[in-house]
Amino acid sequence: MSKNHEEIWASCLKVIKDNVTLQAFKTWFEPITPVKVDEGVLTIQVPSHFFYEWLEENYITLLKKVVKKELGTEGRLEYSIVMENNSTNSTPYTVKLPALNKKALKNEPVTMPLNVGEKQIHNPFIIPGLKKVNVDSNLNPAYAFENFVEGDCNRLARASGYAVANKPGGTAFNPLLIYGGVGLGKTHLAHAIGISIKNQFPNKTVLYVGSEKFAHQFIDAIRNQTTNDFIHFYQMIDVLIIDDVQFFSGKEKTQDVFFHIFNHLHQNGKQIILTSDKPPVEMQGMEQRLLSRFKWGLSADLSAPDLETRMAILEKKMYGNGIELPKDVVEYLAYSINTNVREMEGALNTLLAQASLNKKAITLELAKQMVDKFVKNTAREVSIEYIQKVVCDYFDLPLEILKSKTRKREVVQARQISMFFSKKMTKSSLANIGAHCGGKDHATVLHACRTVMNLSETDKQFRAYLEDLEKKLTIQ
Ligand code: ADP
Ligand code: MG
């Protein structure tokens, strides 16, 4: 008599095989099982909701053609989706979906929850024929380009990010790898690129995800036997931003899955943006094939901002909050927190909170207390730059003169005092202190320290200066 469902599906597959790539055939058609044929309706079983969506979106014309060829012009196709994660439930949960019936198709998008660990398919009434899967991009609007202050420390990274944002996937910067130490703006810049792309190309699917979250999702996917869904989900992203990829170090399986996703996206002209706390050459525990791919595009570093940029960042943050601080307070923050923008910002926020809660005026004194409480270990010590500034203010000398080669008596004295306090209050080496004070060598610094000690023992006025200055410099 007529063919059974398996024979029908086998004939369909033959045609399909000639019309799709081998990879697509393996990925999307081999996992399908024919279930039955009944009154001109062929039912096929697919492993997930996502799978079904993908078929409907990408292969509906082909499927329609082959089914009609086998079953006649009235022939129809039904999907049966089996939830594979419910191992405690002995009967597989199956839903039937009418397909190939264009009139019944609605164009409502379905949200694809990011948490692939939980089964997404709670609602059996899946909307067929969806055109687009909506993905929440996870972008923080506060981290836009407008709020990212440009400086020498970030010029290349910012400019390349900007280029990528204007032409995602269409520049040589793919992947774009932004690297730099903690709190220097990697996450901010990565979001800025995503936000700008979303604004300019609303139809592009942009996704920001921390590498830790990615790794956890993957582990959940393995546990729930939904790794296919996981991979397919990531493979349909247009702009994938993965923050802190150094977290993948030593995680072989995660690197492996990421490698495949990376390749798929890259081959299809999709943009990949990565951040890391180190350049690729220094990433340990990372597979070579992945590292070499990181180097395909552009690696741009973020370094610690200079004083000017730090001041500009603080001003921007204050402006954003509609607040003004006394100049000496802003300077103090910018001078004393010089390695981490996040800590500087944290100190500013704590200061503002303290001031408004306790209705205290924001004074230099309060700022010193805050910085002391807020900023961790290393930054607790005052910086050489700050010492120089306080000393110069005290003696009413411009900072440049202190850093110059001038041998004028007052300048020499101020310079020696700066060196003395730098030695006393920071962990800097004599050579480093010398370098900050007009390029002097370590012997000069040592000599300066001795001179200051001797003078303070013999000269009362001089000792008073030192005590005054020490009070100004001490962070209490
Ligand atoms: P990272 O990811 O490198 O550790 P973040 O991107 O989280 O650092 O930045 C820490 C904080 O510093 C954020 O609040 C960010 O807005 C701010 N920041 C860093 N660099 C800049 C900059 N150039 N302009 C404005 N804010 C910045
Ligand atoms: Mg970060």
Side-chain angles (χ1 to χ4, degrees):
M1 231 191 67
S2 55
K3 291 180 184 174
N4 69 20
H5 57 278
E6 279 169 355
E7 291 161 339
I8 291 172
W9 183 240
S11 309
C12 291
L13 282 183
K14 259 192 211 147
V15 182
I16 291 169
K17 201 166 189 172
D18 290 338
N19 284 282
V20 300
T21 64
L22 183 63
Q23 188 56 42
F25 185 77
K26 284 190 169 190
T27 312
W28 299 110
F29 295 97
E30 276 184 359
I32 296 175
T33 331
V35 180
K36 62 173 183 187
V37 62
D38 194 14
E39 296 182 0
V41 180
L42 174 69
T43 305
I44 56 170
Q45 184 179 305
V46 294
S48 69
H49 179 206
F50 182 76
F51 207 101
Y52 151 73
E53 290 170 358
W54 190 270
L55 288 175
E56 281 282 295
E57 188 163 346
N58 295 283
Y59 300 107
I60 189 154
T61 320
L62 179 61
L63 281 169
K64 204 175 194 169
K65 226 165 67 191
V66 295
V67 168
K68 287 195 188 303
K69 185 167 167 280
E70 284 300 311
L71 298 175
T73 46
E74 292 303 299
R76 289 185 343 131
L77 186 68
E78 269 185 12
Y79 295 90
S80 155
I81 299 176
V82 178
M83 315 278 178
E84 67 265 275
N85 74 319
N86 216 342
S87 51
T88 48
N89 192 344
S90 51
T91 45
Y93 180 53
T94 308
V95 288
K96 287 179 193 166
L97 300 154
L100 303 186
N101 178 3
K102 276 272 180 197
K103 275 179 199 145
L105 303 185
K106 287 185 204 158
N107 270 339
E108 275 175 57
V110 159
T111 305
M112 192 75 177
L114 254 188
N115 189 349
V116 293
E118 277 169 28
K119 199 64 210 169
Q120 304 125 17
I121 314 163
H122 298 302
N123 181 357
F125 301 103
I126 300 151
I127 305 143
L130 58 147
K131 282 284 167 277
K132 180 129 189 80
V133 175
N134 277 351
V135 172
D136 181 357
S137 296
N138 281 325
L139 294 166
N140 177 353
Y143 284 164
F145 269 118
E146 297 85 83
N147 300 328
F148 192 78
V149 174
E150 188 175 352
D152 287 341
C153 53
N154 60 36
R155 211 173 304 282
L156 174 68
R158 189 182 178 282
S160 39
Y162 207 74
V164 162
N166 289 330
K167 230 177 155 197
T171 67
F173 310 151
N174 200 12
L176 174 63
L177 173 71
I178 303 163
Y179 68 90
V182 269
L184 294 184
K186 300 182 294 294
T187 298
H188 187 144
L189 192 54
H191 277 268
I193 300 168
I195 292 165
S196 173
I197 293 175
K198 256 330 247 180
N199 287 339
Q200 299 182 69
F201 312 93
N203 289 330
K204 285 210 187 287
T205 310
V206 178
L207 178 68
Y208 167 92
V209 64
S211 56
E212 216 159 334
K213 182 159 185 186
F214 179 92
H216 287 154
Q217 287 176 347
F218 178 54
I219 292 165
D220 284 346
I222 294 175
R223 192 182 306 130
N224 299 323
Q225 298 178 333
T226 53
T227 42
N228 269 346
D229 284 8
F230 175 83
I231 293 168
H232 297 148
F233 173 75
Y234 274 98
Q235 285 183 342
M236 54 144 226
I237 304 294
D238 296 316
V239 178
L240 179 61
I241 306 169
I242 303 210
D243 205 358
D244 292 317
V245 284
Q246 76 275 359
F247 185 80
F248 287 164
S249 284
K251 297 187 168 60
E252 278 170 34
K253 283 214 167 132
T254 308
Q255 287 182 34
D256 203 46
V257 76
F258 178 58
F259 178 77
H260 289 291
I261 291 168
F262 183 104
N263 285 346
H264 182 97
L265 294 179
H266 200 272
Q267 274 161 21
N268 287 286
K270 305 301 169 72
Q271 180 70 46
I272 301 153
I273 297 151
L274 308 169
T275 80
S276 162
D277 66 354
K278 312 178 186 60
V281 280
E282 287 170 27
M283 284 184 210
Q284 309 215 319
M286 202 73 92
E287 281 181 49
Q288 207 48 49
R289 56 181 187 162
L290 209 48
L291 284 183
S292 76
R293 269 158 184 77
F294 289 176
K295 292 181 213 154
W296 277 357
L298 177 82
S299 303
D301 77 315
L302 291 175
S303 48
D306 54 25
L307 181 66
E308 214 180 21
T309 313
R310 298 202 296 276
M311 296 277 285
I313 292 174
L314 283 173
E315 264 150 29
K316 181 137 233 161
K317 306 267 172 201
M318 287 190 305
Y319 184 78
N321 286 304
I323 297 153
E324 256 190 79
L325 290 182
K327 198 164 174 353
D328 59 346
V329 171
V330 180
E331 281 181 347
Y332 176 76
L333 293 180
Y335 270 101
S336 50
I337 309 178
N338 53 11
T339 55
N340 184 326
V341 180
R342 186 181 299 126
E343 285 190 343
M344 188 172 78
E345 207 185 314
L348 177 71
N349 289 340
T350 316
L351 195 58
L352 297 175
Q354 272 290 327
S356 61
L357 285 176
N358 300 337
K359 304 252 178 301
K360 277 192 203 164
I362 301 180
T363 59
L364 190 57
E365 207 45 49
L366 187 63
K368 284 182 179 175
Q369 287 171 18
M370 278 311 115
V371 169
D372 188 37
K373 272 200 205 123
F374 192 87
V375 181
K376 288 170 232 126
N377 44 54
T378 54
R380 270 176 71 106
E381 66 179 36
V382 291
S383 67
I384 298 176
E385 281 167 317
Y386 185 65
I387 292 170
Q388 291 174 337
K389 185 187 140 33
V390 170
V391 172
C392 284
D393 283 355
Y394 188 78
F395 292 115
D396 205 13
L397 291 171
L399 191 60
E400 308 82 68
I401 288 207
L402 188 105
K403 292 186 170 196
S404 74
K405 307 246 181 249
T406 304
R407 308 275 323 144
K408 273 194 191 148
R409 217 183 82 82
E410 319 81 76
V411 180
V412 171
Q413 194 167 70
R415 197 184 288 135
Q416 288 180 329
I417 291 175
S418 313
M419 290 177 180
F420 167 79
F421 279 119
S422 300
K423 182 68 205 128
K424 188 171 174 189
M425 303 180 125
T426 76
K427 292 190 197 77
S428 292
S429 65
L430 293 172
N432 188 31
I433 294 170
H436 275 79
C437 297
K440 304 284 187 277
D441 63 13
H442 83 282
T444 311
V445 180
L446 201 58
H447 173 72
C449 293
R450 293 214 181 101
T451 309
V452 171
M453 303 257 274
N454 291 340
L455 264 180
S456 74
E457 276 163 22
T458 54
D459 186 335
K460 230 174 153 185
Q461 178 61 54
F462 188 80
R463 187 157 68 239
Y465 288 161
L466 286 189
E467 280 164 8
D468 249 11
L469 277 167
E470 179 145 12
K471 242 185 252 154
K472 285 190 190 296
L473 288 168
T474 308
I475 298 169
Q476 289 288 352

